[in-house]
Amino acid sequence: MPAPRKFTREQLRTVALAMVDEEGLAALTMRSLASALGTGAMTIYNYVDGREGLEQLVTEAVMAEARWDDPAGDWTEAVAAVAVGMWRAVRAHPQAIPLILTRRSLDPATLLAAEALLDALARGGRSGADLLIAFRVVTGFVSGFSQSELASPLAPDHGDDSSTATDHIRSLPADRFPRLIAIAEAATGSDPETEFRAGLSIILTGLHSTPKVG
Amino acid sequence: MPAPRKFTREQLRTVALAMVDEEGLAALTMRSLASALGTGAMTIYNYVDGREGLEQLVTEAVMAEARWDDPAGDWTEAVAAVAVGMWRAVRAHPQAIPLILTRRSLDPATLLAAEALLDALARGGRSGADLLIAFRVVTGFVSGFSQSELASPLAPDHGDDSSTATDHIRSLPADRFPRLIAIAEAATGSDPETEFRAGLSIILTGLHSTPKVG
DNA sequence: AATCGTTCACATACAACGTACCTAATCGAG
DNA sequence: CTCGATTAGGTACGTTGTATGTGAACGATT
């Protein structure tokens, strides 16, 4: 039985991700990927399970870039390392975020990250249901934070986009949305990595001082 | 200048959301919504700005259902109330989650929730950059937790879906993914609301005991 | 009351998408 | 060298979002 010949899955991954990065999600179609590879559209189906599979491919490609230092000292540092690693990978490909948020990924890279995270949390003394909750809190924070920068009302206006959700917020009735209007200013000039680390340390503080029952 | 006559935006919202709930996201198309309303496809364009606008409509409809009790006692309780309120609304419409996670919503309901959350956090003594980070942590948690149940490796297998990501995890090499395999069991029988509240309390603990600088 | 500009409802039409189906080329095994 | 299996990729179809055009319905103006 001859294996796939003209390409490898990894080539597809790389090209697909590059296309998403450069031209956006909508630019990734069966035909466009095929012609970027210099082949026919139907060939893609030999490497990938339909459109759904194509999108998982992109998710894989992003997660495969995640890197983190090993479980050095404190368990909280290990958790932070993995979380930051995942977040950096995601953040490097903002156009792919909608995919990452909505596909269930069971590829090796994601599973490895999950295992590393679980291990770090377990070293903090958790197991069973407690461990599961802690895991969900941290991964939820990572993806939630990505989403928060992408699509929350206070998301930084990303370059090409229609100008300025911030402006829209500024123009709201000041008596009904005082906090929102005030904070919209602070949101414009903030540094994402600083914010992420600050948020993460809140989470870690919570984890550190929450009683474990499992 | 005659205003829209045959329908209201709210009618569209309701019908669109009902379609997504009952038949899934893919079932919502311009034509399907139109014929559910007994009209032609192009009519939709008089109420909504293209496909993108149609999807925002669904997001609006979900967020419009969010309810929470008022800022009763402790500020942490107020934060929890809003968070739970948002989460319940989202959770009531699992099929719409991918939309909610990926559209930036500036509709009144979302903004009101944001304001309420900001207000509760501000009552905890935060402002400026600190307030912004706390806001992102909580909203990130809410959406991250929703996504975690939808698409994380440990997401509960939702009914209709292909059977059992759990099975896939169970079949991994036990020497490389011990934690993951162990926890996959715990993930099958867990109650979402309990998990959410437990996770939220970790977040709140973290917020409570993190020094504020702003 | 007659007119006019504006807005809505909706049919038609089209490009682009995912993909079912089919054919020819290409490989390993015997 | 032949045979079975597998890949490459062309063709074609149904479906999607939507640009465009045409009538009808309305409020305001004369």
Side-chain angles (χ1 to χ4, degrees):
Chain A
M1 34 117 135
R5 276 161 299 149
K6 277 188 72 169
F7 311 105
T8 64
R9 249 184 90 94
E10 193 155 335
Q11 281 173 35
L12 290 233
R13 274 198 338 206
T14 310
V15 175
L17 179 56
M19 291 184 60
V20 171
D21 282 342
E22 289 162 26
E23 305 167 66
L25 254 185
L28 180 69
T29 70
M30 290 291 178
R31 279 172 241 256
S32 70
L33 176 60
S35 87
L37 289 165
T39 185
M42 294 315 286
T43 301
I44 311 290
Y45 284 82
N46 291 326
Y47 299 87
V48 140
D49 181 23
R51 169 85 210 189
E52 189 75 10
L54 177 58
E55 299 186 340
Q56 282 185 23
L57 208 62
V58 176
T59 315
E60 279 182 39
V62 173
M63 291 307 295
E65 288 182 6
R67 296 286 177 279
W68 57 88
D69 294 331
D70 247 12
D74 192 8
W75 67 269
T76 58
E77 285 176 32
V79 171
V82 179
V84 170
M86 294 177 68
W87 183 72
R88 285 221 186 103
V90 171
R91 203 154 188 308
H93 305 279
Q95 308 260 169
I97 294 183
L99 253 40
I100 299 169
L101 289 175
T102 53
R103 312 291 131 190
R104 187 207 296 253
S105 29
L106 294 170
D107 57 293
T110 304
L111 295 179
L112 238 78
E115 179 71 18
L117 197 55
L118 284 168
D119 196 69
L121 289 168
R123 280 172 40 210
R126 287 170 201 272
S127 64
D130 253 11
L131 178 54
L132 178 62
I133 287 169
F135 176 78
R136 284 211 209 283
V137 167
V138 177
T139 56
F141 172 73
V142 173
S143 64
F145 209 87
S146 310
Q147 178 309 319
S148 171
E149 281 181 82
L150 169 79
S152 108
L154 290 177
D157 305 311
H158 25 0
D160 67 314
D161 184 312
S162 80
S163 57
T164 62
T166 312
D167 282 352
H168 181 250
I169 290 179
R170 260 196 283 261
S171 74
L172 292 172
D175 53 328
R176 288 169 41 112
F177 300 98
R179 309 280 193 197
L180 201 50
I181 293 171
I183 205 72
E185 307 300 326
T188 55
S190 58
D191 171 48
E193 173 114 11
T194 306
E195 272 187 24
F196 182 82
R197 296 192 103 89
L200 185 56
S201 100
I202 292 177
I203 304 266
L204 289 172
T205 303
L207 283 173
H208 191 77
S209 50
T210 297
K212 316 149 193 61
V213 298
Chain B
M1 33 114 138
R5 276 162 298 150
K6 277 189 72 171
F7 311 105
T8 65
R9 250 184 89 93
E10 193 156 336
Q11 282 173 36
L12 290 233
R13 275 199 337 206
T14 310
V15 175
L17 180 56
M19 292 184 60
V20 171
D21 282 342
E22 289 162 26
E23 305 167 65
L25 254 185
L28 180 69
T29 70
M30 290 291 177
R31 279 172 242 256
S32 70
L33 175 59
S35 87
L37 289 164
T39 184
M42 285 297 129
T43 302
I44 310 291
Y45 284 80
N46 291 326
Y47 298 87
V48 139
D49 180 22
R51 169 85 210 191
E52 189 76 9
L54 177 57
E55 300 186 339
Q56 281 184 25
L57 207 63
V58 176
T59 314
E60 278 182 40
V62 172
M63 290 307 297
E65 288 182 5
R67 296 285 177 278
W68 57 87
D69 294 331
D70 247 12
D74 193 7
W75 65 271
T76 59
E77 285 176 32
V79 171
V82 179
V84 170
M86 293 177 68
W87 182 72
R88 286 222 184 102
V90 171
R91 202 151 191 307
H93 304 280
Q95 307 261 153
I97 294 183
L99 254 39
I100 300 169
L101 289 176
T102 54
R103 311 292 130 189
R104 187 206 295 255
S105 30
L106 293 169
D107 55 294
T110 303
L111 294 179
L112 239 78
E115 179 72 20
L117 197 53
L118 284 168
D119 197 70
L121 289 167
R123 280 172 38 211
R126 289 169 198 273
S127 64
D130 255 9
L131 177 55
L132 178 61
I133 287 168
F135 176 78
R136 286 210 207 282
V137 168
V138 176
T139 56
F141 172 74
V142 173
S143 63
F145 209 87
S146 309
Q147 124 39 262
S148 172
E149 281 182 83
L150 169 78
S152 110
L154 291 176
D157 306 310
H158 25 1
D160 69 315
D161 184 313
S162 80
S163 57
T164 63
T166 312
D167 282 352
H168 181 250
I169 290 179
R170 260 196 283 259
S171 74
L172 291 172
D175 53 327
R176 289 168 43 110
F177 299 99
R179 308 281 193 199
L180 200 50
I181 294 170
I183 205 71
E185 307 301 324
T188 55
S190 58
D191 172 47
E193 174 115 9
T194 307
E195 273 189 23
F196 182 82
R197 294 193 105 91
L200 185 56
S201 101
I202 291 178
I203 304 267
L204 290 173
T205 304
L207 283 173
H208 191 77
S209 49
T210 296
K212 317 150 192 57
V213 299

